[in-house]
Amino acid sequence: MSTYDSSIRIDSGRLWRSLGELGEVGAYFDADADLRGVRRLALTDADLAGRELVVGWMRAAGLTVTTDRIGNVYGRRAGVDDTSAPVLIGSHIDTVATAGRFDGCLGVLGGLEVVRTLNDHGVSTTRPIELAIFTEEEGVRFGTDMLGSAVAAGRIELDRARERSDPDGVTVGAELDRHGLVGEVAVPIRPPFAYLECHIEQGPILAAAGTRIGVVRGVQAITWLELQISGRAAHAGTTPQRLRRNAGLAAALITVRLNEMVESGAYGQMLATVGRQVNYPNLINIVPERTLITVDLRNHDGAAMRRAEDDLTAYIAEVEERTGVTVAARTTARTPPVVFPQGMRDLVEKHAANLGMSSDQVTSGAGHDAGEIAALCPAGMIFVPGLYDGISHNPREYSTPEACADGVNVLLHAVTELACTAR
Ligand code: GLV
Ligand code: MN
Ligand code: MN
């Protein structure tokens, strides 16, 4: 084993090949994008196949692999002082149903590339380094995002997490048991020394400015709601307006109001999305009896988020009054804004500068496991630019091999510095 050398670099070809290989697991042809996309929803057979591939690579890189009670995987590279708290690198490999190859996978495979590079150069570190794959980061199957890292960090209790079910009624617990993913590591996990995650930006800022590295300030607040709107089914041709209780109309009113709230500017940098809408019976000549909509709210400012939630609740009552429907609202996810410690941001910025890369501070629009692990230890993130306006959660998501390598080289040096820190 030799000492650390600041001139070492990752093998960008190997990183790119790994991203490509994992991207074939759960691949499908997306006719709208005219591209191959990835569909690896959490705890499905495809997710399992992805995990098996990556865990095989972890073992081949000499990592000791363990699993916690919610199926998060940890691959450990021993440190010289192996009893000291590890530096944790992590992200997720579960995807939305229409994904590209980068979201989450860059963080996990970038962490693996860090380990492979340290191995190639015979670098030993004082602290152990662990590489985590977190369960159900996306939240699209079981309805709440960052589920695995939230359990690891203690925000969500294990039993509550296991009870969550997908639209077919299959629970997280049943899937963990079916796949043999309930491991020995207790949750909440023991606090790591520090946590770092490399991720595609998933937005337009870095590419538009020609900036190579995003130093992530923090993660904005996220609230997810599910609104079950109940009206009355009726014949479209014979039911006069005054006798209608149209659930679809109520959904439309709420959707338009959310857009008006965003455009009013009265709630800071709010974003609102109605991403899922299901009508029943969903037929051309029947007034919808029931409509389910989801509401995704984002805001940099936690107080503005709460005001928006309160004002939406008041508006929903108005819609009930006006249309005669009833609305049952359920909050399925709620995370406050997270600010990463200045020291972690400085570390990322310093290593970007040492490597001759431009960098700028950005606040993450997307949710990330780093936002959860920040409750346990100093956490930070490194963003790399994505092309095509930063499109993500879509097969068009793309970051160049050079941009991915930039982010992982910064990860390599920042992690190595942390892992060589005695206390
Ligand atoms: C996770 O990707 C989210 O921000 O929805
Ligand atoms: Mn992600
Ligand atoms: Mn995502």
Side-chain angles (χ1 to χ4, degrees):
M1 289 269 184
S2 71
T3 51
Y4 169 64
D5 169 359
S6 64
S7 72
I8 66 174
R9 299 290 180 273
I10 64 137
D11 180 338
S12 62
R14 181 171 58 190
L15 171 67
W16 192 252
R17 285 191 299 278
S18 300
L19 283 162
E21 234 182 286
L22 180 55
E24 286 303 313
V25 181
Y28 73 102
F29 181 72
D30 189 298
D32 291 326
D34 196 19
L35 280 174
R36 280 166 78 74
V38 183
R39 179 171 295 152
R40 231 173 20 238
L41 265 65
L43 304 181
T44 57
D45 291 350
D47 185 27
L48 250 286
R51 284 166 173 256
E52 278 166 12
L53 180 66
V54 178
V55 166
W57 287 338
M58 284 176 158
R59 291 208 165 98
L63 299 182
T64 305
V65 178
T66 56
T67 306
D68 72 15
R69 315 286 297 169
I70 192 72
N72 297 320
V73 173
Y74 307 92
R76 181 182 175 93
R77 185 177 192 267
V80 174
D81 177 3
D82 210 34
T83 58
S84 60
V87 176
L88 188 62
I89 311 173
S91 200
H92 61 98
I93 63 165
D94 68 294
T95 75
V96 296
T98 55
R101 298 181 160 192
F102 300 89
D103 179 355
C105 301
L106 178 61
V108 171
L109 298 181
L112 177 68
E113 182 55 37
V114 166
V115 168
R116 287 168 162 175
T117 302
L118 294 176
N119 291 351
D120 291 346
H121 292 266
V123 176
S124 58
T125 56
T126 311
R127 296 179 174 280
I129 293 172
E130 290 195 8
L131 172 58
I133 305 173
F134 292 111
T135 301
E136 173 67 321
E137 190 272 353
E138 293 292 3
V140 291
R141 181 167 180 205
F142 296 103
T144 200
D145 50 357
M146 285 84 71
L147 185 71
S149 50
V151 171
R155 182 175 65 81
I156 298 180
E157 276 178 31
L158 178 62
D159 288 349
R160 297 288 85 73
R162 285 184 58 94
E163 281 164 6
R164 297 203 65 92
S165 59
D166 72 4
D168 297 323
V170 179
T171 64
V172 168
E175 287 293 69
L176 289 172
D177 295 342
R178 175 170 80 91
H179 295 302
L181 283 177
V182 178
E184 293 299 312
V185 177
V187 288
I189 60 169
R190 294 229 297 273
F193 178 66
Y195 175 85
L196 269 177
E197 179 169 351
C198 179
H199 206 284
I200 187 169
E201 180 200 352
Q202 306 179 276
I205 299 167
L206 295 175
T211 303
R212 287 167 73 179
I213 294 293
V215 178
V216 184
R217 257 186 231 111
V219 180
Q220 66 177 340
I222 304 175
T223 295
W224 284 1
L225 306 168
E226 199 174 271
L227 305 183
Q228 186 61 252
I229 304 169
S230 303
R232 183 171 57 195
H235 191 291
T238 60
T239 315
Q241 191 75 347
R242 70 186 161 78
L243 291 180
R244 294 183 181 218
R245 301 204 321 249
N246 184 343
L249 171 64
L253 289 168
I254 293 165
T255 305
V256 170
R257 171 55 71 104
L258 284 165
N259 195 54
E260 288 167 354
M261 287 168 71
V262 170
E263 289 185 346
S264 73
Y267 304 89
Q269 298 184 53
M270 169 179 170
L271 290 171
T273 305
V274 175
R276 184 159 177 245
Q277 176 154 352
V278 187
N279 269 346
Y280 179 82
N282 209 26
L283 293 169
I284 188 169
N285 55 359
I286 302 178
V287 174
E289 177 181 356
R290 284 194 309 274
T291 302
L292 174 123
I293 60 172
T294 56
V295 177
D296 174 313
L297 300 175
R298 312 266 172 149
N299 209 311
H300 289 206
D301 177 345
M305 172 67 95
R306 283 192 299 281
R307 248 184 320 110
E309 288 178 32
D310 291 346
D311 291 355
L312 178 62
T313 302
Y315 183 69
I316 288 171
E318 264 179 66
V319 169
E320 287 178 315
E321 181 80 13
R322 178 169 157 193
T323 62
V325 303
T326 55
V327 181
R330 203 162 66 86
T331 303
T332 54
R334 180 185 273 138
T335 47
V338 174
V339 178
F340 297 133
Q342 188 64 49
M344 294 298 283
R345 290 188 258 160
D346 291 346
L347 180 78
V348 172
E349 196 171 79
K350 179 180 83 180
H351 284 291
N354 287 350
L355 291 161
M357 298 173 197
S358 55
S359 70
D360 206 353
Q361 304 248 345
V362 287
T363 296
S364 174
H368 293 292
D369 296 307
E372 298 295 330
I373 303 302
L376 293 176
C377 66
M381 290 192 78
I382 301 158
F383 274 0
V384 299
L387 300 190
Y388 317 126
D389 293 330
I391 189 168
S392 186
H393 288 181
N394 186 280
R396 293 184 187 90
E397 178 189 65
Y398 189 76
S399 185
T400 63
E402 296 75 23
C404 292
D406 281 355
V408 178
N409 270 313
V410 174
L411 182 70
L412 167 71
H413 289 282
V415 162
T416 308
E417 179 176 333
L418 289 165
C420 290
T421 305
R423 55 187 74 253

